[in-house]
Each structure stands twice: as structure tokens, then as C-alpha cells.
Amino acid sequence: MLAKKSILLKKNKNFLIPHPINFNFWKPQKKNNFRKKFNIDKDKFVILFIGHSPSNNYRKGFDLLLDSVALLDNYLQKKISIICFGGQGRKYINYKFPIHYINANYSKKFRRSLYSASDLMASPSRLENLSMTCLESNSCGLPNIIFDKTGLVDIV
């Protein structure tokens, strides 16, 4: 916590108050038919990216995720599939890995299925407070990759 390093606050007591979620609901599920439903190869390593109109929202860092995966060699790129959840926005087509755009569905059961169908959640936000999706996905056993400069550090 940065407050402990602050000149004004370092002498005060600092507490991290967790955001409450229902851990009886947000828990690991068996792999389901989600990949089949959206025509996603079951042998691919699925990276999940979530955000409202993510490919149009600079703050969410979708471009950073794509550029990072593009740095991998051809063999690894062919083993990856990205789910972009939250609307389509601009389509990216010049990549060697498939990008599946899924419109936002705010059903908790749908999101839990989405977390269960994925292998990794990437949240490369340039600016982020506390993302409930990171908390939910972590609770479902899905590892998250984040930058250590946003509020997500306290969740992960």
C-alpha cells in the first residue's frame, strides 16, 4: 500500500478493507461447454480480457495485451486464443492468434462460466481502481496478469 510510504500518512495506521463478494458463488467450476458454444478450440490457451468496449478504450490496455502476445514466437502464438468480453469495438485482424469478441452479458453465471473456460485473465489497464472482475476471477481460480501500478495490486 502506497499510504505506508506517504509522508503524510506513514505514521498512521493503514488498513486494507477488502471488497466483499460471495465466495460461495465465485468459486472454481469444472470446465464447461463455453468454448464449444463460442467455437473456441479446446486445445488453445485462452486469455480472457474484460472491459466495456475494450478495443476502443485506451485506458483498458487491450492494445498492450495484443502487442505482448505478438512478441511471442509463431509456435506459441498459434497455441493462444483471446476472448475479448465486453463488446466488439474496433476489430484487430493482423494477428496470428484468434480474437473472439463476446458482447457484454452481465449475468453472474455467464461470467463464472467465462472464468471457468479461460486459462488466464489479462488486465493490462493503464488506469484502474479496483476491478470486481479480477476479484471474481481470482476467486474462481483464474490467475490474473496485471500492471503493478494500479489498484489491482491489492486484489492480486
Side-chain angles (χ1 to χ4, degrees), residues 2 123 125 145-154:
L2 294 177
S123 299
S125 296
I145 291 182
I146 63 165
F147 287 135
D148 68 352
K149 302 293 181 194
T150 67
L152 298 177
V153 172
D154 290 329

Side-chain angles (χ1 to χ4, degrees), residues 4 10 13 15 17 34 37 42 45-46 61 69 71-72 78 87 89-90 108-109 113 116 122 131 133 145 150 156:
K4 290 179 182 179
K10 67 181 176 183
K13 288 184 180 181
F15 301 95
I17 301 171
F34 190 90
K37 178 179 177 181
K42 65 180 173 79
F45 184 85
V46 175
V69 175
L71 292 173
L72 299 172
K78 290 177 184 174
R90 172 172 82 234
K108 290 180 181 181
K109 288 183 179 181
S113 295
S116 297
S131 171
T133 57
I145 291 182
T150 67
V156 175

Side-chain angles (χ1 to χ4, degrees), residues 25-26 105-113 115 136:
F25 180 82
W26 298 108
N105 176 333
Y106 298 101
S107 155
K108 290 180 181 181
K109 288 183 179 181
F110 185 86
R111 285 198 321 271
R112 186 177 61 185
S113 295
Y115 301 144
E136 293 166 358

Side-chain angles (χ1 to χ4, degrees), residues 54-79:
S55 58
N56 289 337
N57 190 339
Y58 177 79
R59 181 176 59 86
K60 289 293 184 183
F62 188 57
D63 58 316
L64 299 174
L65 170 61
L66 296 180
D67 290 347
S68 297
V69 175
L71 292 173
L72 299 172
D73 66 32
N74 288 337
Y75 174 77
L76 291 175
Q77 285 187 38
K78 290 177 184 174
K79 295 192 164 290

Side-chain angles (χ1 to χ4, degrees), residues 29-98:
Q29 303 291 302
K30 292 181 181 178
K31 290 285 180 192
N32 55 30
N33 292 328
F34 190 90
R35 290 185 184 194
K36 186 175 182 179
K37 178 179 177 181
F38 287 97
N39 199 26
I40 298 169
D41 189 338
K42 65 180 173 79
D43 296 323
K44 296 276 188 174
F45 184 85
V46 175
I47 300 173
L48 175 62
F49 180 90
I50 295 179
H52 179 68
S53 189
S55 58
N56 289 337
N57 190 339
Y58 177 79
R59 181 176 59 86
K60 289 293 184 183
F62 188 57
D63 58 316
L64 299 174
L65 170 61
L66 296 180
D67 290 347
S68 297
V69 175
L71 292 173
L72 299 172
D73 66 32
N74 288 337
Y75 174 77
L76 291 175
Q77 285 187 38
K78 290 177 184 174
K79 295 192 164 290
I80 289 174
S81 187
I82 293 179
I83 295 176
C84 184
F85 175 72
Q88 187 167 319
R90 172 172 82 234
K91 277 203 174 200
Y92 293 87
I93 56 174
N94 296 327
Y95 291 96
K96 295 175 183 156
F97 44 87

